[in-house]
Amino acid sequence: MPAPPTTPTRKVLGRLSLPERTFVADALRTETVGGVLLLAAAITALIWANVPALHDSYESLSHFHFGPEALGLHLSVAHWAADGLLAIFFFVAGIELKRELVAGDLKDPRAAALPVVAALCGMAVPALVYILTNVTGGGSLVGWAVPTATDIAFALAVLAVIGSSLPSALRAFLLTLAVVDDLFAILIIAVFFTSDLDFAALGGALVGLTVFWLLLRKGVRGWYVYVPLALVVWGLMYNSGVHATIAGVAMGLMLRCTRHEGEAHSPGEHIEHLVRPLSAGLAVPLFALFSAGVVVSGSSLGKVFTQPETLGVVLGLVVGKAVGIFGGTWLTARFTRASLSEDLVWPDVFAVASLAGIGFTVSLLIGELAFEGDPALTDGVKAAVLIGSLIAAVLATVLLKLRNAKYQALWAAEERDDDLDGIPDIYEQDDPAYHLRMAEMYERKAAEHRRLAEVAGGAGDGDDGPA
């Protein structure tokens, strides 16, 4: 009697398919540049806010108001950065999520289980750490969501600075994890930080989103149609009481991210390619410039580790993120037919999980929303986000450096292209034509070596003179 078929074992963090590897490489290249700009903007903000001669100018610019008051949009510069520019960031996040759902790792439920479980655990455990810290310390529970977010751009900036050649599977895991993380952060903002709804404005925003969707389905083209409509939808969403960045996510999710016959790129891929540099290179750094400018002193740093709200944020980012993501990944491998790739070990997963503790952009945003009306605690939570992200970055750097030689070897193997056809050799190993090309190449090299040896031998005989 034949044995029943068994479900094949799936590799956790195994090698990506070639199209997915190409997409991940392009996406991470832009995010890495944006992350370096983000890091520079955060440092600039800290210097600007803490140099006595410059502090007043920083405060004046941050609180300078402009915009049409009749439309309810007479906002400060800092407010425009948080609610306006970040809508671009969340628009890109929406496109990323849509692509992952229809063409990426999240399309296959079995493959999606790992990043989804890891992201959920990586949000639940930091929230639990924050809650336990504040319950035992008598603090406020309203900031439970602050340490739940991961900043992919900042994390990749750290990788760029330390020069770690992470294999593409680990980088893709970090990217997919951040996409799922962004989704749940969006849901948290929409559900827990929405109050005083204006149903007329919300209805208008929903009508605008419906028109946006219909125009996309009809194949209408032209930025001059969609950009004004997007601005109207954003303005209505802002006035509705729902956080305005939700409008960006909704429009990103509506874009088609599958290719039709004859298309080199889907509309979603094309627009993401155009907008991602604007998001990573302008919107997010400007948000950081006007959000990270907290006054830092010895006493304020000390309060970060003595106030339960700020201590909960630091512990949530540093401990909660690492334990949650690592634990979720290990549980997925333990209780499913998934196994870790032979090229990696579990400390690699823990290092990447520690790197995910860099929770900058969305953590700062949620901190502002959670402690709105309490400027002192808002600044304290911002300082806690900065300190927690810094500790997580240092810890991840140490862990990644310990394995950097192994990562460099894996990276070199992934990049090797001896036949110079533009496709890494590792993806052609099962192709008979590849082996034929390689055999011909080595035969040419061997023939060239023999010819050079004969020439050298002939030259040597001539130098010896007559016998």
Side-chain angles (χ1 to χ4, degrees):
M1 182 176 179
T6 58
T7 304
T9 301
R10 187 175 59 81
K11 292 297 180 187
V12 174
L13 305 179
R15 189 169 76 238
L16 304 176
S17 66
L18 185 58
E20 187 70 9
R21 176 185 180 277
T22 302
F23 170 80
V24 168
D26 291 342
L28 294 183
R29 191 175 298 114
T30 305
E31 292 288 1
T32 301
V33 174
V36 173
L37 293 175
L38 175 62
L39 184 60
I43 293 172
T44 301
L46 287 170
I47 294 172
W48 195 354
N50 285 276
V51 174
L54 302 175
H55 175 77
D56 289 344
S57 64
Y58 181 81
E59 289 295 317
S60 297
L61 181 58
S62 295
H63 294 99
F64 177 76
H65 283 65
F66 68 97
E69 191 165 1
L71 299 178
L73 297 174
H74 190 65
L75 311 177
S76 69
V77 171
H79 208 159
W80 276 110
D83 281 25
L85 290 176
L86 273 196
I88 301 173
F89 166 79
F90 279 106
F91 174 69
V92 174
I95 300 175
E96 286 177 340
L97 179 61
K98 179 67 173 289
R99 186 200 165 276
E100 289 291 335
L101 288 170
V102 300
D105 285 345
L106 302 183
K107 181 181 180 181
D108 179 4
R110 291 181 303 168
L114 175 65
V116 170
V117 171
L120 282 173
C121 293
M123 299 185 82
V125 176
L128 183 61
V129 168
Y130 178 92
I131 291 171
L132 290 175
T133 304
N134 282 269
V135 166
T136 56
S140 171
L141 298 182
V142 297
W144 64 270
V146 176
T148 60
T150 292
D151 193 308
I152 182 64
F154 219 145
L156 292 171
V158 171
L159 287 179
V161 170
I162 67 176
S164 178
S165 301
L166 274 187
S168 58
L170 279 176
R171 290 176 179 262
F173 175 65
L174 185 61
L175 178 63
T176 307
L177 189 75
V179 170
V180 179
D181 191 294
D182 284 343
L183 168 64
F184 289 109
I186 291 160
L187 293 176
I188 288 172
I189 292 171
V191 174
F192 295 99
F193 298 103
T194 295
S195 59
D196 301 325
L197 282 176
D198 183 329
F199 288 99
L202 181 59
L206 293 177
V207 170
L209 288 172
T210 302
V211 173
F212 189 89
W213 181 81
L214 289 173
L215 291 174
L216 288 173
R217 291 298 168 272
K218 294 293 184 181
V220 176
R221 295 175 178 269
W223 64 267
Y224 46 84
V225 174
Y226 292 102
V227 171
L229 179 58
L231 291 174
V232 170
V233 170
W234 174 87
L236 289 168
M237 191 70 76
Y238 175 83
N239 282 286
S240 73
V242 177
H243 199 270
T245 54
I246 303 301
V249 178
M251 288 183 280
L253 285 171
M254 290 180 183
L255 292 173
R256 175 169 60 83
C257 291
T258 53
R259 300 177 187 178
H260 288 169
E261 187 176 354
E263 284 186 337
H265 303 285
S266 68
E269 290 173 319
H270 176 66
I271 293 172
E272 182 187 14
H273 179 72
L274 295 176
V275 179
R276 185 187 286 275
L278 178 63
S279 168
L282 180 67
V284 175
L286 281 178
F287 167 75
L289 183 64
F290 292 107
S291 292
V294 294
V295 178
V296 178
S297 63
S299 60
S300 64
L301 290 177
K303 287 181 181 179
V304 167
F305 296 97
T306 56
Q307 284 184 308
E309 293 88 353
T310 51
L311 179 61
V313 170
V314 173
L315 292 178
L317 289 172
V318 177
V319 178
K321 273 290 183 183
V323 172
I325 292 172
F326 178 82
T329 307
W330 184 85
L331 287 171
T332 304
R334 173 68 178 81
F335 294 105
T336 68
R337 294 189 61 83
S339 62
L340 192 65
S341 172
E342 296 89 347
D343 294 328
L344 303 172
V345 293
W346 284 109
D348 297 324
V349 180
F350 188 80
V352 173
S354 300
L355 191 63
I358 301 175
F360 192 75
T361 306
V362 181
S363 289
L364 290 175
L365 176 62
I366 294 177
E368 291 180 352
L369 296 173
F371 296 100
E372 190 175 11
D374 190 341
L377 197 48
T378 299
D379 284 347
V381 167
K382 286 183 179 181
V385 170
L386 295 175
I387 292 172
S389 298
L390 178 61
I391 295 173
V394 172
L395 174 62
T397 297
V398 172
L399 295 174
L400 291 170
K401 281 295 186 182
L402 293 175
R403 292 270 294 165
N404 203 43
K406 177 66 174 178
Y407 298 149
Q408 287 176 339
L410 292 174
W411 179 261
E414 287 183 356
E415 295 296 309
R416 186 172 179 179
D417 184 19
D418 286 341
D419 57 350
L420 302 177
D421 65 348
I423 301 174
D425 295 340
I426 199 168
Y427 289 94
E428 301 179 296
Q429 290 176 350
D430 297 328
D431 182 6
Y434 164 76
H435 292 289
L436 179 61
R437 290 198 306 273
M438 294 301 294
E440 291 174 347
M441 183 183 71
Y442 286 126
E443 178 57 34
R444 287 197 302 273
K445 287 185 177 180
E448 182 66 15
H449 284 303
R450 288 195 298 270
R451 187 185 68 79
L452 291 174
E454 290 172 358
V455 170
D461 291 344
D463 289 341
D464 289 338

